[in-house]
Amino acid sequence: MLTTKPRGTNDILPGEVEKWQYIEKVIREVCQTYGYREIRTPIFEHTELFQRGVGETTDIVEKEMYTFKDRGDRSITLRPEGTAAVVRSYLENKLYAGTQPLKLYYIGPMFRYDRPQAGRYRQFHQFGVEVLGVHSPGIDAEVMAMAMEVYGRLGLKDLELHINSLGCPQCRPLLKERLQEFLQPHLEGFCQQCKGRYHRNPLRILDCKSEKCKQLSEGAPTTADCLCPSCAAFFDEVKRCLDLLGIDYVVDKNLVRGLDYYTHTAFEIMAKGIGAQSSVGGGGRYNGLVEACGGPEIPGIGYALGLERILLAMEQQGAEFPPAWRPDVFLVTACPEAEEEVYKLLADLRELGYSADKDYMGRSLKAQMKYAGKLNARRTVIIGENELKNGTITVKDMITGEQEEIKREKITVLLGGK
Ligand code: AMP
C-alpha cells in the first residue's frame, strides 16, 4: 500500500508533465484571446453545494462523490466538477454586482468515484469556463467556438461538436409527461436507479450508462421534440451564430448531459479513435443554477474539457508537442581547484536567466560528461587547471561535439541573449 497509489489516480512524472504544462499554456492563451479570467476555488466544498448544484438525481451525486465528515463533523466533498463552486464563489463574493457578463475559467483536479478504465479516472483534470449574467445565443456560440479553438490550437483533428437544446422549465412538463408515457410499459426492465428517476426526473433515464436502460429508452421522445417556441427560436439562433463563426456541428437529439441544472443549449465534443471514452469535453447553459444555489435569477453557460482525454487524443493522433526541455549549460568541474569558479559561473548564469546545473555527486570528469549527456544539456562548460590558469572556459557543443576555449566573459555571447 505504501508504494501504491490509490486506484484511478495518476502520477504525472517529469517527461510527461511538460506535455501538461504545454496544454495548460495553450489553454491560458486561448482564454486571454477570448477575454476569460482565471478563478481558483477550493478543492473541497460543503457537500450540500454539490447536492443542490449538480442535482440529487445525477450519477455524480448518487454514486460518485468523495464525501466525508471532517473533524468538526461537517460533511465535506472533494469537488466532482467545477461549476457549482464557481457559482458559490460568484454569490459569496457578490461578483454579480460588478460588470456583467463575467467570463471565468479554471484548471484543476476533480474527483469522482468512477469505474477506472482508459480515459476514466477517479482523480482527473478539467479545464472549464463559466459565463455568468448573460442569456444570449451569441455567447453560447462563443463558448463552443472557444472550446473548439483550444482543440484546434493543440493540433487535434476529427472532432465532432454535438449540440442539442434541453428546453426550459416551460417545456419540461410536456417532456416529462411524454417521457413517462413512453417509458411506463418498460419500467420493470430498468435498473433500480432509473426506476427511482422515473417519477423524480425521467429525463435522467436517457443518460443512464447501463446498456439495458439505453436499449429500453431507444426511440423515447427527446427534449428537441418538446421545445416551446421561444426555446426553439433560441436554439435556431445559436446554430446561426455557430454558422457565422464558421464552427461545424451536428445536432444530436439524444444528447442529455449528466447534470441536472442544464437548460437550453447542451453540447459535447467527441474525438474519434480514443476508445469508449470518446467525450473530450462538454457543457451547456444552466439558467436555473444560480437560483438553485440560493442566489438571484442569473443565467449562465459553461463547459469543461477533460485534460487526460485531450492528452490521450493528442498522443493517438500524433499531435506535436514542443521539444523536450533541456538545460542550457552543464558546468563540469575538471579539477578540485576549479570548484570556486564553477560555483561563481553557475550563479552568474542563473542570474542571467539561463538554465544551468553542475554535479553534486563527486563524479569523475568522464562521469560528469556522461551525466550532462543524460540531462540532455545543450552545452557543457569545462573548467580545469588550464582554464583556471588562462582565465578561460572550454565550451563543448553537445549536439555537434565541437569544443572551443573562450574567455569566460564570452560565454553569454555564445549562449545568445536572454
Ligand atoms: P462532465 O463534467 O461529466 O461533463 O465531463 C466533462 C469532461 O471531463 C468529459 O468530456 C471528459 O473529457 C472529462 N471527464 C469526466 N469524467 C472523467 C473521468 N472520470 N476521468 C477522466 N476524464 C473525465
Side-chain angles (χ1 to χ4, degrees):
M1 284 297 266
L2 277 182
T3 53
T4 316
K5 58 184 161 42
R7 211 162 111 76
T9 64
N10 291 300
D11 295 316
I12 306 174
L13 302 176
E16 187 73 4
V17 83
E18 289 79 2
K19 295 180 182 170
W20 283 79
Q21 289 166 347
Y22 168 65
I23 294 174
E24 288 163 13
K25 182 173 145 271
V26 169
I27 284 172
R28 288 179 200 284
E29 282 167 7
V30 174
C31 287
Q32 206 158 38
T33 310
Y34 280 74
Y36 287 66
R37 314 268 306 271
E38 185 173 5
I39 181 166
R40 299 187 187 193
T41 61
I43 300 285
F44 59 85
E45 297 273 354
H46 295 296
T47 303
E48 203 191 334
L49 174 68
F50 300 115
Q51 286 169 338
R52 289 271 213 96
V54 180
E56 295 277 6
T57 57
T58 56
D59 271 357
I60 291 183
V61 171
E62 286 191 332
K63 45 188 186 191
E64 294 173 0
M65 295 206 300
Y66 276 91
T67 297
F68 56 93
K69 282 277 170 77
D70 73 4
R71 286 170 194 271
D73 210 30
R74 296 170 200 93
S75 183
I76 293 293
T77 296
L78 300 184
R79 62 180 188 191
E81 57 93 53
T83 308
V86 170
V87 168
R88 195 262 314 132
S89 175
Y90 178 77
L91 292 174
E92 189 165 351
N93 297 293
K94 300 193 174 49
L95 300 181
Y96 49 81
T99 313
Q100 305 294 306
L102 201 61
K103 297 172 160 193
L104 301 167
Y105 80 91
Y106 57 82
I107 303 179
M110 305 294 160
F111 306 85
R112 291 183 198 171
Y113 194 78
D114 238 332
R115 201 162 48 82
Q117 50 188 289
R120 186 174 287 285
Y121 310 99
R122 290 182 174 167
Q123 175 174 336
F124 60 99
H125 297 78
Q126 284 185 338
F127 151 62
V129 313
E130 313 296 346
V131 185
L132 288 147
V134 58
H135 180 65
S136 151
I139 199 82
D140 294 26
E142 171 178 295
V143 297
M144 289 186 256
M146 182 189 180
M148 299 313 280
E149 171 114 21
V150 169
Y151 299 123
R153 284 204 205 176
L154 289 170
L156 282 174
K157 293 184 288 284
D158 298 330
L159 297 180
E160 258 180 20
L161 170 63
H162 290 219
I163 65 169
N164 193 17
S165 172
L166 303 186
C168 67
Q170 269 81 54
C171 344
R172 290 281 162 86
L174 174 64
L175 176 67
K176 191 172 171 187
E177 196 186 303
R178 289 187 53 186
L179 261 180
Q180 283 175 330
E181 214 174 83
F182 177 90
L183 298 169
Q184 168 70 46
H186 319 287
L187 201 56
E188 273 317 298
F190 282 98
C191 72
Q192 242 1 73
Q193 228 157 6
C194 283
K195 280 183 191 150
R197 288 164 171 167
Y198 175 79
H199 293 289
R200 286 187 292 159
N201 190 355
L203 185 57
R204 271 280 70 81
I205 296 178
L206 305 183
D207 197 34
C208 183
K209 287 174 191 145
S210 136
E211 275 311 316
K212 181 88 191 290
C213 296
K214 272 187 193 162
Q215 264 172 20
L216 287 174
S217 52
E218 225 162 89
T222 64
T223 51
D225 301 325
C226 305
L227 294 183
C228 67
S230 131
C231 283
F234 188 91
F235 192 41
D236 283 343
E237 196 55 21
V238 170
K239 289 183 276 187
R240 195 178 73 90
C241 292
L242 282 172
D243 293 336
L244 289 175
L245 292 171
I247 305 294
D248 291 334
Y249 57 86
V250 182
V251 175
D252 178 354
K253 288 186 173 188
N254 293 314
L255 182 71
V256 182
R257 305 273 311 143
L259 310 171
D260 270 356
Y261 49 66
Y262 284 105
T263 61
H264 302 87
T265 314
F267 59 97
E268 193 131 9
I269 301 117
M270 313 291 193
K272 285 179 201 144
I274 64 164
Q277 306 304 316
S278 61
S279 162
V280 286
R285 180 160 279 287
Y286 47 77
N287 286 356
L289 179 63
V290 180
E291 217 179 347
C293 291
E297 213 186 303
I298 290 176
I301 180 164
Y303 63 73
L305 315 185
L307 299 193
E308 281 81 0
R309 293 201 198 155
I310 289 184
L311 186 58
L312 208 65
M314 286 177 74
E315 281 169 346
Q316 229 122 50
Q317 297 188 1
E320 265 187 57
F321 290 94
W325 172 85
R326 58 197 307 180
D328 297 316
V329 191
F330 185 84
L331 300 178
V332 173
T333 317
C335 67
E337 297 75 27
E339 201 187 25
E340 201 179 311
E341 275 307 303
V342 164
Y343 269 114
K344 279 190 199 157
L345 187 57
L346 183 68
D348 287 352
L349 288 172
R350 284 177 172 169
E351 200 180 321
L352 287 167
Y354 295 105
S355 153
D357 212 342
K358 74 180 281 297
D359 169 57
Y360 293 101
M361 306 280 284
R363 288 182 169 87
S364 68
L365 173 61
K366 203 169 142 201
Q368 285 182 61
M369 294 304 290
K370 204 166 147 194
Y371 177 48
K374 280 212 177 124
L375 291 180
N376 201 20
R378 177 70 186 78
R379 291 184 177 82
T380 48
V381 164
I382 304 153
I383 309 184
E385 279 172 20
N386 273 341
E387 287 84 1
L388 285 178
K389 205 163 65 201
N390 303 336
T392 56
I393 53 178
T394 297
V395 182
K396 180 173 178 183
D397 187 309
M398 298 294 275
I399 297 174
T400 63
E402 276 169 28
Q403 196 165 307
E404 60 174 325
E405 196 174 332
I406 58 168
K407 283 282 169 206
R408 191 189 143 154
E409 317 78 75
K410 291 276 165 63
I411 178 72
T412 50
V413 179
L414 196 78
L415 294 176
K418 275 263 155 168

